[in-house]
């Protein structure tokens, strides 16, 4: 039933992915297209360390080399260039949004080509094509109704794009992918913070979100969103207005302390999110202290 991907010569090769028997029907143009799915197991994914951005590194294997599981999480129609997380192709029922997506396909492709020229949606995806698909998805979600939490999805997509661009910089240095990664980090910062604003202001609910990621191996939930807002502000936030920066860092330090029970009354709780949150809390506290700013949770 699974269609193994073959080499150009027609011979089978150790495959990372396969073409699913069932095609995906594009909700924008109505045309079916192939679904590429990553194989599970077989030594393809050798989990490595978890970064402070909750990004799981995977070690390369002798048989398959380095794999990038997240590039298989999105699909992109090769006709109208509508790109979404796979389940959204069937779960989103937004006729007006899909009409806007169809109308904006040329502009979307033009924008993606400025960073990923000559991307290809019709063969088994590479790291490069996978990054292009994520950028298509980021632009596609601009047109989706707020009932489907597009702000959060743009946040997670931007963060993943930053990771993919850093991977591209490692494998093909000298093409400015590191600079592009910084742009997507700042976009992720904006969209994650806007997600909190929209949720607390009851503008855009995230109840429909089934997986908060940010990576593919584990969902860190709403607490993970708050943590990432603080981390991204600390690492990639603006420095032009230092007073505003310190104010934001203090706000996130308080939020992290409340959620994770940190500070002088900190309790030892298991879990990787608590560990990275504690490290971030300590960094925020150190920077604020060096600027003679002390929060009430320091008492």
């Amino acid at each position: 039933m699974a269609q193994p991907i073959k080499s150009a010569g027609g011979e089978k090769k150790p495959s990372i992915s396969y073409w699913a028997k069932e095609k995906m029907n594009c909700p924008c143009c109505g045309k079916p297209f192939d679904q590429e799915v990553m194989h599970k197991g077989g030594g393809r994914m050798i989990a490595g360390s978890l970064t402070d951005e909750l990004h799981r590194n995977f070690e390369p294997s002798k048989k398959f080399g380095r794999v990038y599981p997240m590039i298989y999480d999105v699909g992109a129609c090769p006709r109208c260039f509508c790109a979404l997380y796979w389940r959204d192709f069937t779960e989103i029922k937004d006729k007006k949004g899909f009409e806007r997506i169809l109308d904006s396909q040329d502009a979307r492709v033009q924008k993606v080509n400025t960073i990923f020229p000559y991307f290809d949606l019709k063969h088994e995806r590479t790291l490069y094509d996978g990054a292009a698909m994520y950028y298509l998805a980021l632009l596609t979600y601009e047109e989706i109704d707020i009932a489907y939490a597009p702000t959060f999805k743009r946040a997670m997509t931007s963060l993943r794009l930053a990771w993919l661009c850093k991977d591209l910089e490692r494998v093909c240095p000298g093409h400015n992918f590191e600079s592009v990664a910084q742009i997507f980090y700042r976009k992720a910062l904006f969209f994650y913070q806007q997600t909190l604003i929209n949720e607390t202001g009851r503008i855009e609910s995230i109840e429909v979100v089934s997986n908060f990621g940010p990576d593919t191996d584990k969902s860190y939930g709403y607490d993970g969103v708050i943590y990432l807002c603080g981390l991204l502000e600390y690492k990639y936030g603006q420095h032009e207005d230092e007073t505003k920066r310190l104010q934001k860092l203090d706000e996130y330090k308080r939020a992290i302390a409340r959620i994770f029970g940190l500070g002088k009354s900190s309790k030892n709780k298991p879990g990787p999110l608590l560990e990275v949150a504690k490290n971030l809390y300590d960094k925020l506290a150190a920077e604020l202290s060096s600027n003679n700013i002390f929060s009430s949770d320091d008492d």
Side-chain angles (χ1 to χ4, degrees):
M1 289 187 292
Q3 307 274 334
I5 292 174
K6 297 183 179 182
S7 65
E11 297 179 357
K12 290 184 178 179
K13 63 178 182 179
S15 59
I16 297 173
S17 62
Y18 63 92
W19 300 116
K21 184 178 180 181
E22 297 293 330
K23 291 182 180 290
M24 178 61 71
N25 196 62
C26 177
C28 288
C29 66
K31 302 295 184 181
F33 66 96
D34 292 324
Q35 295 185 68
E36 187 180 3
V37 183
M38 184 176 174
H39 282 294
K40 304 297 181 183
R44 291 172 180 82
M45 293 192 296
I46 303 174
S49 60
L50 183 72
T51 72
D52 62 345
E53 296 171 6
L54 304 177
H55 176 34
R56 177 67 64 189
N57 290 311
F58 288 91
E59 302 295 333
S61 68
K62 291 183 178 179
K63 185 175 182 180
F64 299 100
R66 190 177 296 278
V67 298
Y68 305 93
M70 77 174 68
I71 68 173
Y72 301 95
D73 257 18
V74 296
C77 174
R79 292 180 178 85
C80 69
F81 303 95
C82 169
L84 300 165
Y85 290 98
W86 283 113
R87 65 184 299 161
D88 280 344
F89 279 101
T90 55
E91 292 192 354
I92 292 180
K93 311 296 181 184
D94 181 13
K95 184 178 179 180
K96 290 184 178 179
F98 290 140
E99 289 174 355
R100 291 192 296 269
I101 292 166
L102 198 58
D103 290 341
S104 62
Q105 69 177 75
D106 290 341
R108 195 161 52 254
V109 172
Q110 185 177 7
K111 286 183 179 179
V112 175
N113 271 322
T114 60
I115 301 177
F116 306 104
Y118 312 113
F119 67 90
D120 193 326
L121 303 182
K122 294 183 179 179
H123 63 54
E124 60 269 26
R125 65 193 70 188
T126 62
L127 172 63
Y128 182 85
D129 295 324
M133 289 184 191
Y134 266 92
Y135 193 17
L136 283 172
L138 180 63
L139 299 171
T140 299
Y141 280 110
E142 286 184 6
E143 311 296 347
I144 294 296
D145 189 87
I146 60 173
Y148 301 98
T151 304
F152 167 76
K153 290 168 185 175
R154 292 170 77 187
M156 187 169 71
T157 301
S158 296
L159 184 56
R160 290 185 177 189
L161 260 170
W163 295 339
L164 292 173
C165 286
K166 288 178 76 70
D167 288 329
L168 283 168
E169 180 66 27
R170 281 192 288 270
V171 299
C172 52
H175 294 274
N176 295 319
F177 284 117
E178 178 62 38
S179 298
V180 176
Q182 298 304 310
I183 293 173
F184 287 125
Y185 272 125
R186 290 192 289 273
K187 285 183 178 291
L189 168 61
F190 172 80
F191 287 124
Y192 270 116
Q193 292 185 348
Q194 194 62 46
T195 295
L196 291 187
I197 292 171
N198 291 355
E199 172 69 15
T200 56
R202 299 184 179 181
I203 299 169
E204 179 182 338
S205 174
I206 56 174
E207 287 185 3
V208 297
V209 176
S210 59
N211 187 342
F212 286 89
D215 210 331
T216 60
D217 66 322
K218 183 176 176 61
S219 174
Y220 289 95
Y222 189 62
D223 288 351
V225 172
I226 296 173
Y227 163 77
L228 284 170
C229 283
L231 179 76
L232 294 172
E233 183 66 50
Y234 175 73
K235 294 176 70 173
Y236 307 106
Q238 61 85 27
H239 286 263
E240 289 78 14
D241 187 336
E242 196 64 21
T243 299
K244 185 176 180 180
R245 170 180 166 77
L246 293 171
Q247 181 182 6
K248 280 198 169 186
L249 295 184
D250 188 45
E251 290 173 359
Y252 285 118
K253 175 173 173 282
R254 292 168 184 263
I256 290 170
R258 287 194 300 271
I259 293 170
F260 300 101
L262 302 177
K264 292 186 177 179
S265 60
S266 174
K267 298 179 181 179
N268 293 322
K269 299 177 184 178
L273 183 56
L274 176 70
E275 182 178 347
V276 293
K278 179 64 169 66
N279 290 337
L280 175 60
Y281 177 92
D282 291 342
K283 290 177 181 178
L284 295 176
E287 180 159 343
L288 291 167
S289 178
S290 67
N291 287 276
N292 298 314
I293 296 176
F294 301 94
S295 300
S296 59
D297 57 275
D298 295 321
D299 297 332

